[in-house]
Every structure is written in structure tokens, then in C-alpha cells.
Amino acid sequence: MRKPRDIDAELKALAEKGKALKARKITQLGELVAATGADNLDVDTLAGALLSAVEEEDASAREAWRRKGAAFFQRTRRSRAASDAAAQHASGAS
């Protein structure tokens, strides 16, 4: 006969994993605000801009924002890759 599963322990582990994922999401959102320079806005302005984005129903406006965000991340990835390559080159040269 096989051992029964400890459902309570599995549920507890899943709840802890859920909490960790939620904390990671919040951290990443804060990093995004800083990376875009939005941390220079006062809190009321940032909240208003985000609320406007959430309330926006125009699909073309949302698509334009999506493209702009994708381009931002693409530039960020390229600059990070370039700086990594430069660091590897510098460490290999010494």
C-alpha cells in the first residue's frame, strides 16, 4: 500500500509559493517604474497615469503603448547585452 499524500503540506507549500510570486511581482513593478524614469513623477501623477491606462478602452491606443513598451525592453536588452560583451572583453584582455 502506498503512503497517502499530505494534502495540507502541499497546500501550505503552494500558498507560500504564491506569496513569494506576489512579492516578486511587486518588486518587478517597482523596478519597472524606476527603469522607465517614472519614479521621478510625484505619486499622484503616476497613479493618475496608471488609472488612465487601466480605464483606456481604445484598442489602438493600448496597442501603441504595447509597441512602445516592447521597444523599450528591446533597447534595454540590447544595451545590457552590449555592456555584458564589453565586460567580458575587458576581463579577457587583462
Side-chain angles (χ1 to χ4, degrees), residues 9-74:
E10 289 180 33
L11 285 173
K12 184 178 178 183
L14 284 173
E16 289 173 6
K17 186 174 182 178
K19 284 181 186 179
L21 287 171
K22 186 173 183 175
R24 182 174 164 209
K25 179 181 178 180
I26 290 169
T27 300
Q28 287 179 336
L29 288 171
E31 291 170 356
L32 178 63
V33 168
T36 59
D39 58 333
N40 292 325
L41 299 172
D42 66 271
V43 175
D44 292 335
T45 303
L46 179 59
L50 291 171
L51 287 169
S52 292
V54 169
E55 295 167 354
E56 181 62 56
E57 293 182 11
D58 182 10
S60 62
R62 284 182 173 236
E63 178 58 22
W65 293 340
R66 190 202 60 76
R67 284 192 308 270
K68 191 172 185 176
F72 169 79
F73 285 115
Q74 200 68 23

